Amino acid sequence: MPLFMLFSSFTKLPTFGVFLGLFGALAITPDTLFMRLSEMDAWVMMVWRGLQMGGCLMLAWLFAALFIFTAEKRQTDLAGLFSPQGLTAVAAIIFGGATFVYGIAETSVSIVLFSLACSPLFAAIFSGFLLGEKTRPATWITMAVSLLGISLTVWGGNKAVAAPEGSVVVGALCGLSTAAALGLNFVMFRARPSIPLLLANGMGAFTTGLIGLTVLSGSVVSLSVLFEGNLAAISVSGLLILPLSFVALTAATRFTRAANVSLFMLLESVLGPIWVWLGTGERPGSLTIFGGVIVIVSLAVYIRLLLEEGDS
């Protein structure tokens, strides 16, 4: 009971959502390294990441529903999950999970992560359209500057060392699509706090895994590729990194604005390529780095403006 009371007092602190979002963003930064170390193609990674993360989170919710939650809490969770906002959040998780994995398998990690950095801008835009929160002129300016930076990362994308030789344009579009899905997801969790964090994230991830499994199920030969590659590496991502980070990030939206939470995803854009470089030797070309710096700096200025305006 004292521990519960202590935790409850922490949740009432003005900075609780900020620190929770920061923890989730830091936890997810090595994700792309383990994706690379798995040496799996897009569909196989999608299966393992989705089924492992989804199964882990749904089992956690089921355990809580059976032994901890009251009947009223279970009903509230299910009502939140099957609300328009809950179903939209699940759809965003499915779409974002698929596009992110495909982008990482297609091209340089840096291009995808620099594009993914735009998630706070999408969150701000969706908040304006769906929640009636004011969309600042700075949001549109930052979006324009960020797109310029992303264009430079794509232009120099073919100069990356030890990266997949797929389309850099497709990779950038996958990153932007994931950013839009992530921004929408955060907004939905803030719009309807009754959406169950574990169940919604779990269902979305598990469905993504089932989609990948369906694609591979055309033949027995295709299914055999599920057991090729480094299963331990992908399991670190699916069973540890993703559940911890996504629950922390989405929970943070209960305590601070969705745009503020997604701003912490900049850490993945900065640290993710460094982890991959240290672990595999993959590094972007100079023009890609320059474009990424433009994206990060423009978003850092955007963060500064938010702080000056006193957003919490």
Side-chain angles (χ1 to χ4, degrees), residues 51-68:
L51 296 184
Q52 288 179 332
M53 173 186 173
C56 180
L57 293 180
M58 288 196 295
L59 284 175
W61 182 87
L62 183 61
F63 177 85
L66 291 175
F67 300 106
I68 301 175

Side-chain angles (χ1 to χ4, degrees), residues 220-308:
V220 176
V221 176
S222 296
L223 286 177
S224 67
V225 303
L226 285 173
F227 302 97
E228 298 176 0
N230 190 331
L231 293 180
I234 203 66
S235 296
V236 171
S237 177
L239 294 176
L240 182 62
I241 294 174
L242 293 177
L244 281 176
S245 59
F246 268 82
V247 169
L249 287 167
T250 49
T253 63
R254 306 287 170 84
F255 305 97
T256 187
R257 290 178 63 146
N260 295 348
V261 175
S262 57
L263 287 171
F264 289 115
M265 297 305 293
L266 289 177
L267 289 171
E268 185 180 19
S269 300
V270 174
L271 297 179
I274 295 176
W275 285 119
V276 173
W277 172 53
L278 293 175
T280 69
E282 176 184 325
R283 57 183 175 83
S286 57
L287 192 57
T288 296
I289 294 175
F290 179 63
V293 169
I294 290 177
V295 174
I296 300 303
V297 170
S298 65
L299 288 166
V301 173
Y302 182 73
I303 296 172
R304 179 69 178 175
L305 291 174
L306 287 180
L307 293 175
E308 288 178 352

Side-chain angles (χ1 to χ4, degrees), residues 62 69 90 113 176-178 186 285 287 290 305 308:
L62 183 61
F69 294 163
V90 171
L113 292 184
L176 286 172
S177 297
T178 306
F186 288 158
L287 192 57
F290 179 63
L305 291 174
E308 288 178 352

Side-chain angles (χ1 to χ4, degrees), residues 60-235:
W61 182 87
L62 183 61
F63 177 85
L66 291 175
F67 300 106
I68 301 175
F69 294 163
T70 63
E72 182 180 0
K73 169 60 176 171
R74 290 192 293 270
Q75 292 174 357
T76 300
D77 278 4
L78 292 175
L81 177 67
F82 291 104
S83 66
Q85 295 89 345
L87 293 176
T88 300
V90 171
I93 294 166
I94 295 170
F95 182 74
T99 54
F100 181 71
V101 171
Y102 193 86
I104 292 296
E106 181 74 11
T107 189
S108 168
V109 164
S110 300
I111 290 176
V112 179
L113 292 184
F114 287 147
S115 301
L116 179 61
C118 292
S119 62
L121 302 177
F122 284 108
I125 292 169
F126 284 131
S127 293
F129 283 115
L130 301 176
L131 303 184
E133 295 179 350
K134 183 180 178 181
T135 303
R136 305 163 182 79
T139 300
W140 301 108
I141 296 172
T142 308
M143 176 67 83
V145 175
S146 297
L147 290 176
L148 172 62
I150 292 169
S151 298
L152 291 176
T153 68
V154 171
W155 193 7
N158 291 324
K159 301 297 183 181
V161 175
E165 298 180 355
S167 170
V168 294
V169 175
V170 171
L173 290 175
C174 284
L176 286 172
S177 297
T178 306
L182 190 61
L184 179 60
N185 183 31
F186 288 158
V187 170
M188 290 299 100
F189 275 101
R190 181 161 176 83
R192 182 140 185 169
S194 62
I195 299 173
L197 299 173
L198 295 175
L199 193 54
N201 280 299
M203 283 190 64
F206 199 81
T207 303
T208 304
L210 291 178
I211 291 173
L213 191 61
T214 301
V215 172
L216 292 175
S217 64
S219 67
V220 176
V221 176
S222 296
L223 286 177
S224 67
V225 303
L226 285 173
F227 302 97
E228 298 176 0
N230 190 331
L231 293 180
I234 203 66
S235 296

